[in-house]
Structures are given as structure tokens and as C-alpha cells.
Amino acid sequence: MADISSFWGPVTSTTEWCEKNYVYSSYIAEFFNTISNVPSIILALIGLINSLRQGFEKRFSILHISNMILAIGSMLFHATLQNVQQQSDETPMVWEMLLYIYILYSPDWHYRSTMPTFLFLYGAVFAIVHSQFRFVIGFKVHYVILCLICIPRMYKYYIHIEDVAAKRLAKLYVGTLFLGSICWLCDRLFCKEISRWYFSPQGHALWHVFMGFNSYFANTFLMYCRAQQRGWAPRIVHLLGFFPYVKIQKPKTQ
């Protein structure tokens, strides 16, 4: 797609998506890719409220906040298609994965201060380097590697959990990741063909929606696992009969 003069000026980001630019507003480059981040913010806010209300560890509050920051950064990026705003999307993606690595692996880490210190420094160095150099393929490879680091631990948690409802959360996590990835790939690989359709399925926007639910299911599953580790008698309950969240019962000594 060619650079388009708009309220934000010519496109400076290294990546554009299949959605046509500035169709609905001169202030929003990719309309559907922008507003599709709203469910992620709402779901992260619900998770944050539940985490604070029940007294979960601060790591989960920070995780939910990072989900919101990522969604807001994604909105800024897709609304402007500017390089600076692209970094506000991509850098929080890496920070979020570092948080997941910490939450997944820290319970068995013998030296408590080393892991958060290393991950913090890693995230800071990445942010500085990423602000100075443009990594297109390198960024995607780096992000996939961080995701793959999480998989063995998630699988370990899954096989050791007996609660059916908690296992269902893990399956929903995998399912939304799979569907979202299919939408992302179709939007990238078949953009020319899709652009000729009368109606665009907005694959990248669907990716945002699926990943919003994906993060919520992952966070809720990890909260359940952590509560079980702490002996907080966790159980999965459903708001309005279908929306899952973790309810705990801490011992009185805690």
C-alpha cells in the first residue's frame, strides 16, 4: 500500500496490514484493526479487578495491566501507522512475554532476585535497541522464541491440574491461539486475493479479538495454578453461567 497523507502524515511503520487505510476517518488509518483492541482492554480490566479484589499477588495485577498497555499500544499503532507508535505495540509484546516467563518459571527458581532482575534488564535493553534499529523478521522470530519458552511450563501445569474447568481454560487458550493465528496468517499471506473480495473478513482485527480472549484464558489459568500452589483452594466459577474466573479461599493465617 502506498503512503497516504493524513492527519498523521505519511506511513512510516515497517508493517502495514490488509485493511485499507483511512476509509472511515482521517484520524484512524486502520479502523477495524484499531477498535478490535477494545475487547482486550475490557477483558484485562475484568481480570485486574478480580485479581485485586481477591488479593492475588502483584505479579497478576501487573500482568493484566500489561495486557491493557499492549492493547492501547496496538490501537495507537494501527490508528497512526507511525514508527514510534509501532514500537508502542511491539515493545509491550516482548515485555508481556517476559512477564509470562517470570510467572511460569519463578515458583521453582531458587534465587528469587536473579530472575526478575535479569528479565527487567533484558526488557530494558530490548526497548532501547528496538527504538534505534528496525527489526522486521528478527522481531517476529524473537517473539516466537519467547512464546515457545512458555509452552513446556504451560503443558506441565496442564498435565498436573485435575480440575476439569481449569483444564477447559487451557484448552480455550490453545483454541483461541490457533484460530487467531489462522486469521493472522490469512491476512498476511492472502491479502491480494482478499482485497478483491466484496467483503473483507478483517483477519488481523479478528486476531486481536481472539488474542484478547487468549490472554484472559491464559491469565485465569495461571491464577488458578498459582492459587493451588499457595493452598488457596481455587475453583473456577462462571459469571452469568458462562464467563470464567477464579475464586479462592485463603486460609485465615494468610
Side-chain angles (χ1 to χ4, degrees):
M1 297 179 184
D3 289 357
I4 298 175
S5 295
S6 67
F7 178 82
W8 303 107
V11 173
T12 60
S13 63
T14 59
T15 304
E16 283 190 81
W17 303 92
C18 200
E19 183 178 358
K20 293 181 179 179
N21 296 344
Y22 301 105
V23 174
Y24 299 97
S25 170
S26 61
Y27 297 98
I28 302 177
E30 298 175 339
F31 182 80
F32 291 105
N33 287 349
T34 300
I35 65 171
S36 57
N37 285 285
V38 173
S40 298
I41 298 174
I42 295 173
L43 290 167
L45 180 60
I46 293 172
L48 176 62
I49 292 171
N50 186 43
S51 177
L52 293 172
R53 185 173 61 86
Q54 298 200 72
F56 275 89
E57 294 160 300
K58 290 182 180 178
R59 65 188 69 182
F60 290 105
S61 297
I62 296 173
L63 181 61
H64 291 300
I65 292 172
S66 77
N67 293 155
M68 285 189 276
I69 291 173
L70 173 56
I72 293 170
S74 180
M75 292 181 75
L76 292 173
F77 167 44
H78 289 289
T80 64
L81 292 180
Q82 300 296 297
N83 179 253
V84 173
Q85 283 73 22
Q86 182 178 357
Q87 293 175 41
S88 73
D89 175 29
E90 293 179 347
T91 299
M93 287 173 65
V94 171
W95 289 349
E96 183 183 73
M97 292 314 303
L98 295 177
L99 273 170
Y100 279 118
I101 290 172
Y102 172 71
I103 290 173
L104 284 164
Y105 287 96
S106 62
D108 293 336
W109 196 261
H110 297 294
Y111 306 100
R112 292 188 176 183
S113 62
T114 56
M115 178 178 283
T117 300
F118 170 76
L119 293 175
F120 176 82
L121 292 175
Y122 187 96
V125 170
F126 171 82
I128 294 171
V129 173
H130 191 51
S131 68
Q132 301 300 316
F133 302 96
R134 296 191 179 191
F135 304 105
V136 182
I137 301 299
F139 170 79
K140 293 180 175 66
V141 172
H142 175 240
Y143 183 73
V144 169
I145 290 172
L146 293 178
C147 294
L148 291 175
I149 291 173
C150 296
I151 290 177
R153 196 65 169 190
M154 286 289 282
Y155 180 70
K156 180 181 177 181
Y157 281 177
Y158 176 79
I159 61 177
H160 284 91
I161 291 293
E162 297 181 357
D163 185 85
V164 175
K167 281 184 174 290
R168 187 180 300 116
L169 281 175
K171 293 176 181 178
L172 287 170
Y173 161 78
V174 174
T176 50
L177 178 61
F178 175 77
L179 292 173
S181 298
I182 292 296
C183 293
W184 189 93
L185 287 170
C186 288
D187 189 80
R188 295 301 292 170
L189 300 177
F190 305 111
C191 181
K192 290 184 179 180
E193 291 78 6
I194 292 173
S195 297
R196 292 194 290 266
W197 294 2
Y198 177 76
F199 172 78
S200 172
Q202 303 297 343
H204 195 73
L206 289 175
W207 153 263
H208 287 158
V209 175
F210 279 123
M211 294 311 294
F213 281 96
N214 176 265
S215 296
Y216 180 82
F217 293 141
N219 295 356
T220 305
F221 177 73
L222 291 175
M223 289 168 71
Y224 179 93
C225 294
R226 183 58 177 165
Q228 191 173 66
Q229 292 171 350
R230 298 296 301 271
W232 292 346
R235 57 193 179 93
I236 303 297
V237 295
H238 295 83
L239 179 66
L240 301 177
F242 71 93
F243 192 79
Y245 68 97
V246 181
K247 190 174 182 62
I248 60 175
Q249 182 64 50
K250 291 184 177 181
K252 291 183 179 181
T253 55
Q254 296 185 11

